[in-house]
Amino acid sequence: MSISIEICTLTSEHQEWDDYVRSHSEGSFFHLSAWQKVVDEVFGHDCYFLYAKNEHGIVGVLPLVEVKSSLFGHALVSTPFCVYGGVVADNQEVKSALEAYACELAEQLQVDYLELRYRHEQQNNFILKQAHSTFGCEIADSAEDILANVKKKQRAVIRHSLKNELLYSHDHNIDDFYHLLSISYRNLGTPIFTKQYFASLIKHFQQDVDITTIKDKDNKLSNAVMNFYFNDQVLPYYGGGDANARALKSADFMYYQVLCHASEKGCKWYDFGRSKNGSGPYKYKKNWGMQPELLHYYYHLVNAKDLPNLSPNNPKYKLFIRMWQKLPLSISQWIGPFLSKYLG
């Protein structure tokens, strides 16, 4: 069966696009149209937010961003800085049409590769890479039930944290959050984003974003995480803490508070995000009792001969990471944004 559709580039149809994404079972926070505004405003990358339509309206969407760097390569990605992407469509024919259009665009732009970050397995002829898994669980209706649903060993850690007189808040305090995130990124040897990026996320997503900040009993900063809300889901996404966080168990306390706050807001699903298979964060999330779900990232190679490997485990980045970890925090905050904009 053939279909009659037109493929267009998003200009002013943001509400129609978002209504479609929010109503689709495969839609995600990372498919929303505001990412186009954030990426353009903060990073200046060229965006190609494609949608397919027929006489009834939108029948498929595919947000694409061109990321071009002499250091890290040239790619067309759905969606950089995000864990999910790819086509959301009414049926396989529309999905295939949008994927084919993306391949043509990748060839025209002469990128190294096209990358589509799907959550689930797809019917296409692209190259599949499964280096990451995502984690999640249902959110119970009360704080007591939320704690009861956590795996026994991790539940004991949370109970320990609850005795440490930690303080928490849910707001839009970017300054405290950015300070803690910068510490974590520097310690990991990862370039930090510009503070403008996080301000732009709040500006364009508004009530769909908040920040959970944890302080010790003396009101000293310990941990913070930026959370994304989509339909009945919460996604704690960007998080970091200082050197004392581990002893205070403040990260465990923080994620528990995110769960409780999300429950109060009516959320039913906790998306604990992506982690590299076998990594420390991967094991940490399993300790909560959540089962890993392999992600399906698909590639169409154009000028590249091999799949990209921007992982910190790549041997060619080891020296850079060790050097970065030794930088003063202020220097890492100054240089980081010039690099991180290409590490989506």
Side-chain angles (χ1 to χ4, degrees), residues 29 168-179 195-215 221 224-229 238 261 265:
F29 182 85
Y168 66 89
S169 61
H170 307 289
D171 50 38
H172 285 162
N173 189 334
I174 292 179
D175 291 338
D176 289 346
F177 160 75
Y178 190 73
H179 174 71
K195 188 188 289 188
Q196 182 192 1
Y197 171 50
F198 302 104
S200 185
L201 286 170
I202 291 174
K203 170 186 172 183
H204 292 294
F205 287 103
Q206 299 181 16
Q207 74 275 7
D208 292 331
V209 174
D210 68 18
I211 296 170
T212 300
T213 304
I214 309 300
K215 298 180 179 180
L221 289 172
V225 62
M226 176 174 277
N227 309 298
F228 298 153
Y229 296 88
Y238 290 112
H261 182 60
K265 288 170 66 74

Side-chain angles (χ1 to χ4, degrees), residues 97-109:
L98 280 164
E99 287 181 339
Y101 193 100
C103 289
E104 292 176 7
L105 179 60
E107 299 282 350
Q108 292 171 13
L109 296 172

Side-chain angles (χ1 to χ4, degrees), residues 163-327:
K163 299 176 181 178
N164 289 334
E165 301 179 68
L166 298 174
L167 309 172
Y168 66 89
S169 61
H170 307 289
D171 50 38
H172 285 162
N173 189 334
I174 292 179
D175 291 338
D176 289 346
F177 160 75
Y178 190 73
H179 174 71
L180 290 166
L181 190 70
S182 297
I183 291 173
S184 286
Y185 271 48
R186 191 274 313 273
N187 292 346
L188 289 169
T190 302
I192 185 68
F193 295 106
T194 174
K195 188 188 289 188
Q196 182 192 1
Y197 171 50
F198 302 104
S200 185
L201 286 170
I202 291 174
K203 170 186 172 183
H204 292 294
F205 287 103
Q206 299 181 16
Q207 74 275 7
D208 292 331
V209 174
D210 68 18
I211 296 170
T212 300
T213 304
I214 309 300
K215 298 180 179 180
D216 66 15
K217 62 181 181 180
D218 299 317
N219 214 39
K220 180 183 176 183
L221 289 172
S222 184
N223 247 298
V225 62
M226 176 174 277
N227 309 298
F228 298 153
Y229 296 88
F230 178 80
N231 290 351
D232 63 350
Q233 307 166 32
V234 61
L235 301 81
Y237 201 66
Y238 290 112
D242 68 5
N244 298 319
R246 184 182 295 272
L248 290 172
K249 316 294 185 192
S250 61
D252 309 281
F253 178 82
M254 176 178 70
Y255 291 124
Y256 173 63
Q257 294 303 333
V258 171
L259 276 161
C260 294
H261 182 60
S263 178
E264 292 172 1
K265 288 170 66 74
C267 294
K268 300 299 181 183
W269 183 258
Y270 181 73
D271 187 328
F272 214 173
R274 180 187 79 174
S275 291
K276 188 170 182 61
N277 296 334
S279 66
Y282 176 99
K283 296 172 184 176
Y284 175 73
K285 292 171 184 179
K286 283 194 72 175
N287 286 340
W288 282 72
M290 302 176 198
Q291 293 304 308
E293 175 192 335
L294 279 170
L295 293 174
H296 296 72
Y297 287 7
Y298 289 91
Y299 296 84
H300 169 69
L301 302 184
V302 181
N303 287 323
K305 296 199 175 10
D306 301 300
L307 291 177
N309 182 11
L310 298 179
S311 167
N313 294 330
N314 188 331
K316 75 177 185 178
Y317 298 133
K318 292 294 185 183
L319 177 60
F320 170 84
I321 291 172
R322 287 197 296 269
M323 292 174 59
W324 197 269
Q325 290 170 326
K326 297 177 181 179
L327 288 177

